[in-house]
Amino acid sequence: AQSVTQPDIHITVSEGASLELRCNYSYGATPYLFWYVQSPGQGLQLLLKYFSGDTLVQGIKGFEAEFKRSQSSFNLRKPSVHWSDAAEYFCAVIPDGGSQGNLIFGKGTKLSVKP
Amino acid sequence: NAGVTQTPKFQVLKTGQSMTLQCAQDMNHNSMYWYRQDPGMGLRLIYYSASEGTTDKGEVPNGYNVSRLNKREFSLRLESAAPSQTSVYFCASSDAGLAGTADTQYFGPGTRLTVL
């Protein structure tokens, strides 16, 4: 079945440590890919997106993600995590050739940051 | 620019009551969406509207109706609320084109609904 998978439900990292959040999808060859962040009680904020071109994309708040077609992955990274990064992170996909309504979300990864 | 606004922020209903969730955007976007978010489920699409006057079902439309009042506003109605509709509801908008071109969706702050 077509899906967006975020294998890690909850990750805890120390402040200043590096971070990688995983996302895999099982849609067509070139989906549109997004990472959103949700702070507690808030709406979703776009961190970054990939439509085409350079497979390493830079986003806000020091985040980056790399599209790897061969692995059907779009992992989110940050070299040094800050306490304010504690939130829930969602990977989302518009499948290859999808219509306007076809934004499919993963189930999210909750990030906790230890002081 | 307020972006996407939603009212109310919180609501408690009794089973069988009705209510309408309001959403407005000031970005002149063509497309608008309603999602629900449940713990451990991510966001699931309820309905969307590709343009004024059109609406389409998403993944979980049962128990809901929508109205695209004009380009700015997209409302979600629960005619007879059920406890299974307890959720957080998010509205979003995007500049996706009528031909089906995809674009980034921008989200409102959400409405937390509890049905007793």
Side-chain angles (χ1 to χ4, degrees):
Chain A
Q2 295 183 319
S3 64
V4 179
T5 302
Q6 294 180 245
D8 304 304
I9 295 173
H10 191 184
I11 284 181
T12 300
V13 301
S14 297
E15 190 167 16
S18 64
L19 172 70
E20 183 170 28
L21 302 182
R22 295 181 290 164
C23 175
N24 293 93
Y25 60 89
S26 60
Y27 292 95
T30 311
Y32 297 155
L33 299 159
F34 305 81
W35 276 99
Y36 286 88
V37 60
Q38 184 181 32
S39 297
Q42 303 297 312
L44 279 75
Q45 181 182 23
L46 179 70
L47 282 176
L48 47 77
K49 63 185 178 184
Y50 173 78
F51 285 7
S52 65
D54 191 346
T55 57
L56 183 64
V57 293
Q58 303 297 320
I60 62 171
K61 305 184 180 187
F63 285 92
E64 66 177 27
E66 186 172 13
F67 169 56
K68 292 186 177 180
R69 186 191 308 275
S70 61
Q71 299 176 18
S72 296
S73 69
F74 188 57
N75 293 349
L76 182 71
R77 301 193 294 250
K78 187 170 185 177
S80 178
V81 168
H82 187 263
W83 64 267
S84 60
D85 293 324
E88 192 158 19
Y89 292 79
F90 291 94
C91 179
V93 169
I94 296 178
D96 189 30
S99 70
Q100 302 92 328
N102 274 13
L103 184 58
I104 313 297
F105 283 86
K107 294 184 178 181
T109 298
K110 185 176 181 180
L111 173 66
S112 298
V113 181
K114 291 190 298 187
Chain B
N1 250 7
V4 180
T5 57
Q6 294 183 235
T7 56
K9 286 186 169 35
F10 301 93
Q11 184 71 49
V12 178
L13 293 178
K14 294 180 180 178
T15 298
Q17 288 184 317
S18 62
M19 80 160 296
T20 300
L21 282 64
Q22 305 288 353
C23 174
Q25 53 93 7
D26 62 2
M27 295 175 281
N28 201 36
H29 285 165
N30 292 315
S31 299
M32 297 185 74
Y33 313 83
W34 277 105
Y35 294 88
R36 62 178 287 171
Q37 183 181 30
D38 302 294
M41 297 294 291
L43 276 78
R44 293 179 292 169
L45 183 66
I46 304 171
Y47 271 94
Y48 69 99
S49 169
S51 63
E52 186 178 348
T54 69
T55 60
D56 284 287
K57 294 178 181 179
E59 181 185 353
V60 288
N62 291 344
Y64 305 95
N65 286 300
V66 290
S67 295
R68 183 74 181 268
L69 305 169
N70 48 55
K71 192 170 186 179
R72 290 187 64 248
E73 297 172 290
F74 188 39
S75 63
L76 178 72
R77 182 160 179 84
L78 288 69
E79 289 290 353
S80 178
S84 60
Q85 294 178 303
T86 294
S87 189
V88 182
Y89 291 86
F90 288 99
C91 178
S93 72
S94 81
D95 206 17
L98 296 175
T101 54
D103 204 344
T104 303
Q105 294 185 19
Y106 296 91
F107 286 79
T111 294
R112 187 173 297 272
L113 175 67
T114 301
V115 183
L116 303 175

